[in-house]
C-alpha cells in the first residue's frame, strides 16, 4: 500500500536522524573526556569548516546578497560542529538506514538502498549549508527552529546529567554547556539528515521503480 510505504520512509528517516544525533552526543562526550587526544580531530574540523566558508565566499564573490548570506554563516554558525556531525550522519545512514528500510518491508534491492544511503549524506550537507547560509532571509522561521533545537539540546543535557557518572564525561559536558557551549547545530544537522533522507527516498520513488 502506498500509504504504508510512505510511513516506512518516514520511520527510516526518523531513525537516521535520531541515531545520528545520539552519535553526535557521543562525539561531544568523547571530546570532553579525551580532549587532548582528540585535539587534532577538532582542529581538522575547525580548519575544514573555515575552508567551506572560504569556498562559499569565493563562490558568491560579487553578489551582495550572497556576501550577506556567507557573512551570516561565518558569524553565527559553528562550522566545527557541522563538520564533526558528518561522520555521525554517515554512520547512521549506513548502519541504520539501510537495514531498517529492509526490516520494515522495503522492496528495493540492496544496491538501491546503498545508493539511497550514499546520496543522502551529501544531500544532508547541502541542505544544512543552504539552511545555515540563507536563514537570514527567513529570520522568524529560523528563530523558531533554533528555539526547538535549543529545547532538544537542553533535554539532552538534562538526560546526560541525570545519568550521573554512568556516562563518563556527561557531567563535564553539561557543565560546559551551562557556561555557554551550545550544541543546537548538532540538532539541526540531525534534523537535516531526516529531511534529506526522506527527500532522496522520494526522488528515488519518482525516478525509479521497486524491483
Amino acid at each position: 500500500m502506498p500509504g504504508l510505504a510512505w510511513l516506512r520512509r518516514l520511520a527510516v528517516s526518523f531513525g537516521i536522524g535520531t541515531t545520528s544525533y545520539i552519535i553526535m552526543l557521543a562525539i561531544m562526550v568523547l571530546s570532553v573526556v579525551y580532549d587532548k587526544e582528540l585535539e587534532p580531530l577538532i582542529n581538522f574540523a575547525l580548519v575544514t569548516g573555515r575552508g567551506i566558508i572560504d569556498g562559499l565566499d569565493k563562490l558568491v564573490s560579487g553578489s551582495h546578497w550572497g556576501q550577506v548570506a556567507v557573512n551570516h554563516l561565518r558569524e553565527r554558525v559553528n562550522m566545527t560542529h557541522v563538520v564533526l556531525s558528518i561522520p555521525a550522519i554517515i554512520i547512521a545512514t549506513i548502519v541504520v538506514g539501510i537495514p531498517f528500510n529492509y526490516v520494515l518491508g522495503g522492496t528495493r534491492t540492496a544496491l538501491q538502498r546503498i545508493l539511497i544511503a550514499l546520496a543522502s549524506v551529501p544531500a544532508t550537507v547541502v541542505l544544512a549549508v543552504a539552511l545555515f547560509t540563507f536563514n537570514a532571509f527567513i529570520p522568524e522561521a529560523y528563530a523558531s527552529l533554533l528555539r526547538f533545537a535549543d529545547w532538544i539540546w537542553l533535554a539532552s543535557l538534562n538526560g546526560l546529567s541525570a545519568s550521573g557518572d554512568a556516562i563518563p564525561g556527561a557531567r563535564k559536558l553539561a557543565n560546559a554547556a551551562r557556561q555557554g557551549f551550545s550544541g543546537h547545530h548538532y540538532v539541526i544537522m540531525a534534523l537535516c539528515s531526516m529531511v534529506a533522507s526522506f527527500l532522496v527516498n522520494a526522488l528515488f520513488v519518482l525516478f525509479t521503480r521497486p524491483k
Side-chain angles (χ1 to χ4, degrees):
M1 295 176 64
L4 290 177
W6 286 108
L7 284 176
R8 184 186 70 247
R9 295 181 187 105
L10 282 172
V12 170
S13 299
F14 182 79
I16 290 173
T18 302
T19 305
S20 64
Y21 182 59
I22 291 172
I23 297 172
M24 291 175 204
L25 284 176
I27 291 174
M28 282 188 279
V29 170
L30 289 173
S31 69
V32 170
V33 177
Y34 302 103
D35 53 341
K36 293 182 179 179
E37 291 83 352
L38 292 179
E39 186 176 355
L41 177 62
I42 304 300
N43 288 335
F44 172 78
L46 177 65
V47 172
T48 303
R50 288 175 177 172
I52 292 173
I53 293 178
D54 290 342
L56 290 173
D57 201 12
K58 294 177 181 177
L59 186 65
V60 300
S61 178
S63 169
H64 170 71
W65 289 111
Q67 289 293 330
V68 169
V70 172
N71 287 337
H72 186 85
L73 180 69
R74 179 183 290 110
E75 294 168 3
R76 300 192 180 185
V77 177
N78 190 325
M79 290 301 293
T80 303
H81 289 180
V82 173
V83 174
L84 287 174
S85 69
I86 294 175
I89 294 170
I90 294 174
I91 294 171
T93 301
I94 295 174
V95 175
V96 174
I98 295 175
F100 198 28
N101 188 44
Y102 175 76
V103 170
L104 290 178
T107 56
R108 299 193 177 279
T109 64
L111 178 59
Q112 287 175 325
R113 287 193 292 271
I114 292 172
L115 290 175
I116 290 173
L118 292 176
S120 296
V121 175
T124 298
V125 176
V126 170
L127 179 63
V129 171
L131 175 64
F132 290 139
T133 304
F134 297 105
N135 62 62
F137 301 110
I138 48 171
E140 293 183 3
Y142 189 68
S144 297
L145 177 63
L146 282 180
R147 285 194 293 271
F148 176 74
D150 282 331
W151 179 77
I152 296 292
W153 168 242
L154 289 175
S156 304
L157 289 178
N158 290 335
L160 287 172
S161 297
S163 69
D165 296 324
I167 302 177
R171 290 183 184 275
K172 193 173 181 180
L173 176 61
N175 291 334
R178 292 190 181 94
Q179 295 172 10
F181 173 81
S182 177
H184 60 239
H185 288 119
Y186 284 112
V187 179
I188 294 176
M189 287 297 292
L191 293 173
C192 285
S193 71
M194 289 185 192
V195 175
S197 174
F198 184 79
L199 291 177
V200 169
N201 264 284
L203 289 175
F204 265 77
V205 170
L206 293 176
F207 296 107
T208 66
R209 290 183 177 181
K211 187 174 180 180

